[in-house]
Amino acid sequence: MTQAIVVEGLRKRFGRREVLHGLDFAVEPGTVFGVIGPNGAGKTTTMRCLLDIIRPSAGTISVLGQDPQQGGTALRRRIGYLPGELHLENRTTGRRMVEHFAAISGSVDPRYVEELAERLGLDLDRQTRKLSKGNKQKLGLLQAFMHRPELLILDEPTSGLDPLVQQQFHAMIGEAMDRGATVFLSSHVLSEVQLTADAVAILRDGEIVTISTVEALRTAAVRQVKFTAAGTDAHDVGTLLARVPGVDSVVLRESPPSGHTGKSVEARATLSGQVQALVQALAHLNLSELVLEEPDLEEAVLTLYAKGSPSREDTPKPSSVREGAHHA
Amino acid sequence: MPSYLPLFTKALTDSWRSTLGWALGLTAACMLYLPIFPSIGGSSQMQDLINALPAGMTKALNYDQIATGPGYTQATLFGLIGFLLMSMASVSWGAGAVGGDEESGLLELTLAHSVTRIQVVWERALALLVRVAVLSAVVFLLVLGLNGPSQLKIDVGHLFGATVLFASLALLSGTAALCFGALTGRKVYGIAAGAAVAVIGYVFNAVGRQSPDVGWLLNLSPYHWAYGNSPVANGADWGAATGLLGISAALIVIAALALKRRDVGV
């Protein structure tokens, strides 16, 4: 089977400003491919190129085996698209909007529309101008999913959704996967992508910094380790930790003996890579406490962003990534 | 749920309020102007008053034949207030059809569905044509209804021809607005282009009629093409109607080709 999306050397120039500097990636059919990057990285531009809303300045694109411009209406019928900035008409209801899109995209099962609306908790008969941002987003998702497309292209799909609806969204993604659909989605925060995506491309300033699996990111990510060991001293713990691969930034604090226990050592460190070696090493100690945190993928991504711009002092908008994490 | 001409249908149903509004405006214009003809235009005092005005002014306002029913209807309704209302309606619809839709961000999602850009332009242009035709039909029927009571003595065939020219002229402004909206993706440029066609046409006609020295301006005025021979009184110049509609058609083709070629929503 051919790949669902193949992008080679994609460049896009608006006037003199080039916003995509030669992207190369491929999306395997039946997988979820996430693109993450700060605002302005080129995620939306890439998606618009896939849908032939804008045309590449250079490079080739193949979507479901066809050039988006050649594929035309027949190709777009096989795609569901959620724009990053969803604009809806004011003087209409969700139902009328959905009916219109069904009329131009064809073969929509009205029962499925009702089912999706119910699952998302969306009232289709309300005036769109009275809908909250989250409800508008639900309407956007509904029109993308309603014709059961082979390919879903979703730009920041969970923005504005509360956690329950996000769960519902993940279930919808899961069902799309079950019927063999491919999903291409973007986000400015990794936490949104990591639950669903098989592969993740990190985009920064119009270039792909890396393409990786969430698993690989997780492995590369750094965990915080904290433990307290009794009956030993800082020197011994330090020597022990020095032999464990991936352990870094060790901080040790020795407490004086209290009561019947001897001296104890409180240790903090970071760990990247596998945990096995550390666990084996720690087995030699008499631990009274151990905390091994979930790897912070946001940190991992930020590290990658930073690696993408070694010459720059200003780290590229980590704040926006952070902000996103809060309301996610 | 595949349907026939979905974008056309939507454009029509979405704008029923504005269509109704403009229809009411045109009705009011007809009802205000035409019934008073027997007491104003038809009286000899009015003709004396018109004769006392500077000739340039009566020519600019097309009031030179205001003493006759057809001349009065031509000057007041088709040439002035009706022309103004129809041009405004047509320009606002034309500018909104592509440029306004793109500017508000709606066109992106429409194009992501299973429609071609050429289809978007031509179905919406068709909806513009239908709405202009509906408003013109309203005017035609009102004038026809008031013809007897208001003692206008307009030949029905001439009225029909004048209404076709009235519609063609308004449509030209609307398609100019649609075309520039589609070229630029901005509603305001569409409005500017459509208004320019209407205003320049009107001004060139008014100035061109002042003296033979500036008579060449008349050749550049769509308004003059349509109304130069006072169609309500003398019947339509069908060549002018064909020409106006032909230019509109060309503008729609340009709009479709332009939209097909360029990036949307940037």
Side-chain angles (χ1 to χ4, degrees):
Chain A
M1 203 175 164
T2 54
Q3 282 151 319
I5 300 174
V6 184
V7 169
E8 283 170 350
L10 174 63
R11 286 174 184 276
K12 181 61 197 176
R13 184 185 295 282
F14 293 117
R16 283 184 171 176
R17 203 167 55 94
E18 192 175 76
V19 296
L20 297 178
H21 315 295
L23 303 189
D24 296 285
F25 63 88
V27 179
E28 297 298 327
T31 64
V32 178
F33 190 90
V35 180
I36 55 172
N39 300 324
K43 301 178 301 251
T44 299
T45 304
T46 307
M47 292 189 161
R48 286 177 169 175
C49 284
L50 296 179
L51 281 148
D52 190 39
I53 291 163
I54 59 178
R55 275 62 183 268
S57 306
T60 58
I61 300 178
S62 158
V63 175
L64 299 172
Q66 281 179 295
D67 176 281
Q69 212 170 333
Q70 306 296 322
T73 56
L75 175 60
R76 285 198 297 278
R77 196 169 289 141
R78 299 162 66 193
I79 304 173
Y81 174 55
L82 173 74
E85 269 183 61
L86 181 66
H87 299 276
L88 302 177
E89 282 170 84
N90 286 327
R91 272 193 184 147
T92 189
T93 60
R95 186 177 307 282
R96 279 178 51 203
M97 196 194 99
V98 165
E99 278 168 1
H100 172 63
F101 286 133
I104 57 178
S105 268
S107 72
V108 172
D109 178 359
R111 282 168 306 182
Y112 189 52
V113 170
E114 295 298 332
E115 185 199 316
L116 286 177
E118 192 164 319
R119 287 173 61 181
L120 292 167
L122 174 66
D123 180 358
L124 282 173
D125 292 311
R126 283 192 71 177
Q127 289 281 317
T128 46
R129 67 173 180 276
K130 290 181 185 157
L131 294 179
S132 65
K133 184 179 183 322
N135 278 322
K136 283 183 181 165
Q137 188 75 357
K138 292 177 194 172
L139 198 47
L141 285 171
L142 197 155
Q143 62 81 34
F145 278 82
M146 67 181 181
H147 52 299
R148 293 190 173 99
E150 289 163 62
L151 173 63
L152 285 153
I153 297 181
L154 310 170
D155 197 353
E156 308 253 353
T158 51
S159 93
L161 298 183
D162 60 53
L164 274 176
V165 182
Q166 286 192 25
Q167 261 181 23
Q168 206 42 262
F169 165 72
H170 290 139
M172 280 157 62
I173 292 277
E175 286 158 30
M177 306 297 295
D178 290 345
R179 59 178 162 78
T182 307
V183 182
F184 183 85
L185 55 83
S186 77
S187 177
H188 59 280
V189 282
L190 182 67
S191 53
E192 286 184 6
V193 171
Q194 62 171 308
L195 284 176
T196 44
D198 301 297
V200 178
I202 293 165
L203 196 62
R204 202 188 68 85
D205 283 348
E207 278 174 295
I208 290 180
V209 180
T210 185
I211 298 180
S212 162
T213 62
V214 173
E215 257 331 290
L217 276 177
R218 199 180 283 273
T219 312
V222 172
R223 297 162 190 268
Q224 298 290 330
V225 182
K226 201 168 76 179
F227 64 86
T228 311
T232 181
D233 60 27
H235 178 263
D236 286 355
V237 174
T239 319
L240 185 74
L241 288 178
R243 287 201 299 263
V244 181
V247 170
D248 209 349
S249 320
V250 179
V251 178
L252 299 168
R253 212 181 67 194
E254 209 168 297
S255 309
S258 67
H260 62 278
T261 61
K263 281 190 289 186
S264 71
V265 177
E266 195 185 301
R268 286 169 183 276
T270 60
L271 170 71
S272 59
Q274 303 296 333
V275 298
Q276 184 59 29
L278 178 69
V279 172
Q280 275 171 354
L282 292 181
H284 300 295
L285 297 173
N286 177 16
L287 293 181
S288 59
E289 199 180 297
L290 170 64
V291 178
L292 189 55
E293 286 182 356
E294 265 278 279
D296 188 343
L297 298 196
E298 300 290 351
E299 285 297 334
V301 170
L302 287 178
T303 318
L304 288 166
Y305 283 159
K307 278 181 193 160
S309 60
S311 59
R312 286 201 193 172
E313 281 300 301
D314 54 327
T315 38
K317 298 174 194 161
S319 59
S320 68
V321 178
R322 286 283 194 197
E323 274 165 34
H326 288 305
H327 61 68
Chain B
M1 286 177 274
S3 72
Y4 194 59
L5 298 179
L7 297 166
F8 164 78
T9 317
K10 181 167 170 56
L12 278 191
T13 50
D14 282 354
S15 62
W16 69 268
R17 284 183 191 84
S18 65
T19 311
L20 183 67
W22 292 112
L24 290 173
L26 285 162
T27 305
C30 290
M31 301 304 282
L32 286 172
Y33 273 91
L34 300 183
I36 55 173
F37 169 71
S39 57
I40 291 189
S43 74
S44 57
Q45 286 160 318
M46 187 64 184
Q47 190 59 55
D48 292 342
L49 181 66
I50 298 287
N51 291 343
L53 288 172
M57 189 169 167
T58 51
K59 276 187 179 167
L61 288 170
N62 307 301
Y63 275 12
D64 30 0
Q65 291 178 1
I66 206 166
T68 67
Y72 177 83
T73 309
Q74 175 74 54
T76 57
L77 181 65
F78 288 102
L80 195 61
I81 186 75
F83 167 71
L84 182 70
L85 291 175
M86 276 289 275
S87 299
M88 284 165 66
S90 182
V91 167
S92 70
W93 287 327
V98 179
D101 199 46
E102 177 172 350
E103 204 168 20
S104 64
L106 296 169
L107 186 60
E108 178 184 352
L109 190 52
T110 301
L111 290 180
H113 282 269
S114 188
V115 292
T116 66
R117 299 180 182 200
I118 287 179
Q119 184 189 355
V120 167
V121 169
W122 98 260
E123 284 197 31
R124 288 180 179 173
L126 187 65
L128 171 65
L129 172 73
V130 166
R131 282 172 286 180
V132 167
V134 164
L135 293 186
S136 302
V138 167
V139 170
F140 176 80
L141 293 173
L142 281 164
V143 176
L144 197 64
L146 292 166
N147 199 9
S150 301
Q151 302 162 33
L152 295 170
K153 299 188 180 116
I154 300 171
D155 177 89
V156 177
H158 292 174
L159 177 62
F160 177 75
T163 311
V164 170
L165 283 162
F166 175 65
S168 308
L169 186 59
L171 188 66
L172 181 66
S173 293
T175 51
L178 188 152
C179 182
F180 276 78
L183 284 168
T184 60
R186 298 282 179 271
K187 186 174 187 175
V188 65
Y189 293 131
I191 289 177
V197 168
V199 170
I200 292 173
Y202 188 83
V203 169
F204 278 15
N205 177 69
V207 175
R209 279 166 54 104
Q210 301 298 322
S211 94
D213 295 342
V214 286
W216 58 271
L217 284 173
L218 298 176
N219 297 329
L220 299 176
S221 163
Y223 183 95
H224 186 77
W225 303 339
Y227 294 155
N229 74 333
S230 298
V232 184
N234 306 317
D237 175 352
W238 291 108
T242 312
L244 287 168
L245 292 173
I247 298 172
S248 281
L251 288 168
I252 292 165
V253 170
I254 293 169
L257 294 177
L259 187 66
K260 186 176 158 61
R261 292 172 65 93
R262 68 176 179 82
D263 293 340
V264 167
V266 294

